[in-house]
Amino acid sequence: MELKRVVVTGLGALTPVGNTTADFWQGLSQGVSGADAITHFDTTHFKTKFACEVKDFDVLDVLDRKEARKMDPFVHYAIASSDQAIKDAGISAESMDADRLGVIWAAGIGGLNTFFNEVMGFAKTNGVPRFNPFFIPKMIIDISAGHLSIRYGFKGPNFSVVSACASSTHALIDAFNYIRLGKADVILTGGSEAAVTESGVGGFNAMKALSERNDDPKSASRPFDLDRDGFVMGEGAAAIVLEEYEHAKKRGATIYAEMCGGGMSADAHHITAPHPEGEGACKVMLNALEDAHMDPTEMDYINVHGTSTPLGDVSEAIAIQKVFGEHAYSLNISSTKSMTGHLLGAAGALEASACILAIKNGLVPPTINHFTDDPKFDPKLNFTFNQAQKREVKVALSNTFGFGGHNASVIFKALED
């Protein structure tokens, strides 16, 4: 069968560097760090005392108090970003076939704050169960997609995706496939995460995964820098409206870019460490290029997973050079996690949004906080250090890799009739 074309017609963002898509892009373009001291809880006894939190967000701007209390913050974030994307795209169940409008949402952890608070509350009752009746529906990851479909009346495909830090990229790929196979006209997709909690930070600290640069949090996320010492936790959400091209064209929708490919692979190596030679990362990028029917030389920009970890950054750089060969030196590469921190299950959608906006604006956002070259990286690679670079971006790729060896990559290109 002939596959249908899929385009992006709406974006929404709630991030540590801006609470709208426009503010998010401005933050990235200007190299703003979203890291600061944690305000969500007392960090006195924690090794890491900072994160990239969402700032100046009031859930009552999008939900009434009664409804908000029935939801975990990761759902609040999902709704806030999705409201933006739905408005941006100009779609509604009333004006379209609701059975062909879907929601495929993602989170890597979900209602961690709810789970922690309920268990702490139980511990204080000497074993007497006094759980909130909304405990389970606040916590489960799929409830985000459920709430979004109820809110907008979308009755098409509806589920959530979980693959750690690759979750929302997998959600994008699922949405892409449903539309190009003709199973839906429009799908709201993306991811949200709210894991800046005692158990989230404490758990990643126990793994020695987080930066402990408490004296200078704004420069703590240092992808590809010699002195990188772990990732910085982020939180927030990104929403993307994917739509069948002819459906979008018929209604005169504004189109940001075309989604043209998605790849998936597994490292099959280790629960948390990447394959040292980047085998899974190589395969996922090759799979995405094959799916998009593209040659590696067509690529302009890669928004890398680039978490600022000693092993992960090296593995990904090796993979890029294997896949793109000499063309790797013509690419712009950047890690926007240097600014937003790592949004875990929401990272993929947020970084895909950065790729889409790079195509739209002809600007590659930087990898900030680069101070010292690491001899492990080829100096001829352009990591877009410290300052955004103007460039016509016709094709962009976003990489995400999750604990468990889950790899997912997506490709977007400027629309061609």
Side-chain angles (χ1 to χ4, degrees):
M1 65 177 292
E2 184 178 351
L3 297 176
K4 297 179 182 294
R5 294 172 67 186
V6 181
V7 294
V8 177
T9 56
L11 295 174
L14 179 67
T15 83
V17 297
N19 293 1
T20 66
T21 301
D23 289 343
F24 163 64
W25 180 247
Q26 182 178 20
L28 293 192
S29 302
Q30 295 179 355
V32 174
S33 171
D36 213 331
I38 290 171
T39 64
H40 292 339
F41 62 90
D42 182 359
T43 62
T44 299
H45 301 295
F46 287 77
K47 294 178 181 177
T48 295
K49 304 177 185 298
F50 62 93
C52 289
E53 294 178 336
V54 168
K55 302 162 187 68
D56 302 319
F57 171 66
D58 186 348
V59 67
L60 300 183
D61 290 338
V62 293
L63 289 162
D64 65 48
R65 192 177 304 277
K66 183 178 178 181
E67 288 303 305
R69 290 177 64 186
K70 299 175 183 177
M71 304 172 191
D72 186 87
F74 92 102
V75 179
H76 297 162
Y77 296 168
I79 290 171
S81 64
S82 294
D83 279 359
Q84 295 175 36
I86 293 293
K87 182 179 180 180
D88 188 33
I91 58 173
S92 70
E94 291 74 29
S95 62
M96 300 175 182
D97 182 353
D99 291 336
R100 296 188 60 79
L101 307 179
V103 181
I104 302 176
W105 201 257
I109 298 178
L112 189 61
N113 186 65
T114 293
F115 187 87
F116 178 78
N117 289 337
E118 290 294 320
V119 171
M120 288 294 288
F122 177 64
K124 295 175 182 177
T125 65
N126 296 316
V128 179
R130 292 175 182 163
F131 292 100
N132 187 309
F134 291 99
F135 173 27
I136 300 302
K138 284 175 71 173
M139 177 194 71
I140 52 179
I141 288 174
D142 71 289
I143 206 67
S144 51
H147 275 299
L148 293 170
S149 69
I150 293 166
R151 186 173 180 85
Y152 307 123
F154 292 1
K155 299 179 180 179
N158 181 251
F159 58 92
S160 289
V161 177
V162 184
S163 53
C165 304
S167 297
S168 53
T169 305
H170 278 124
L172 277 165
I173 293 170
D174 277 353
F176 174 59
N177 285 332
Y178 274 95
I179 294 171
R180 67 177 175 168
L181 289 169
K183 304 295 185 182
D185 295 328
V186 180
I187 294 182
L188 169 67
T189 186
S192 56
E193 205 77 270
V196 183
T197 66
E198 294 93 331
S199 50
V201 174
F204 281 113
N205 266 159
M207 294 175 63
K208 301 187 183 303
L210 295 181
S211 170
E212 297 179 17
R213 203 179 297 277
N214 295 305
D215 59 335
D216 188 11
K218 290 194 179 299
S219 74
S221 184
R222 301 183 179 192
F224 309 106
D225 188 87
L226 178 66
D227 297 319
R228 64 194 182 280
D229 70 329
F231 75 85
V232 177
M233 182 90 79
E235 63 173 1
I240 298 174
V241 174
L242 294 182
E243 186 168 354
E244 194 272 321
Y245 172 60
E246 294 297 336
H247 187 273
K249 193 165 75 167
K250 184 177 180 180
R251 70 183 186 88
T254 298
I255 295 173
Y256 284 92
E258 181 172 0
M259 184 169 175
C260 50
M264 298 176 280
S265 76
D267 277 6
H269 171 68
H270 189 272
I271 59 170
T272 57
H275 191 282
E277 296 302 315
E279 285 188 8
C282 279
K283 189 63 178 175
V284 76
M285 288 187 280
L286 288 170
N287 288 344
L289 287 164
E290 180 182 11
D291 192 44
H293 303 290
M294 282 187 173
D295 188 88
T297 58
E298 296 180 69
M299 192 61 58
D300 297 307
Y301 168 49
I302 301 177
N303 188 300
V304 289
H305 189 57
T307 54
S308 184
T309 55
L311 297 179
D313 290 4
V314 173
S315 175
E316 188 170 12
I318 289 171
I320 288 170
Q321 290 193 273
K322 286 181 177 178
V323 170
F324 293 93
E326 285 294 314
H327 184 65
Y329 302 132
S330 302
L331 295 168
N332 271 87
I333 299 164
S334 75
S335 172
T336 49
K337 287 185 180 75
S338 60
M339 296 173 277
T340 66
H342 191 354
L343 270 67
L344 309 178
L350 191 65
E351 290 153 20
S353 297
C355 287
I356 294 161
L357 292 166
I359 291 169
K360 178 179 182 290
N361 293 291
L363 187 76
V364 176
T367 305
I368 67 168
N369 298 328
H370 182 72
F371 303 99
T372 308
D373 290 342
D374 185 336
K376 291 186 177 72
F377 302 111
D378 189 329
K380 292 190 289 183
L381 291 173
N382 180 6
F383 290 106
T384 322
F385 283 135
N386 297 326
Q387 190 169 354
Q389 293 179 12
K390 291 183 179 180
R391 172 177 182 157
E392 182 182 19
V393 180
K394 292 183 178 179
V395 183
L397 178 147
S398 176
N399 282 335
T400 48
F401 313 135
F403 284 175
H406 314 299
N407 307 311
S409 298
V410 287
I411 298 176
F412 298 89
K413 68 178 182 179
L415 183 68
E416 299 174 354
D417 290 332

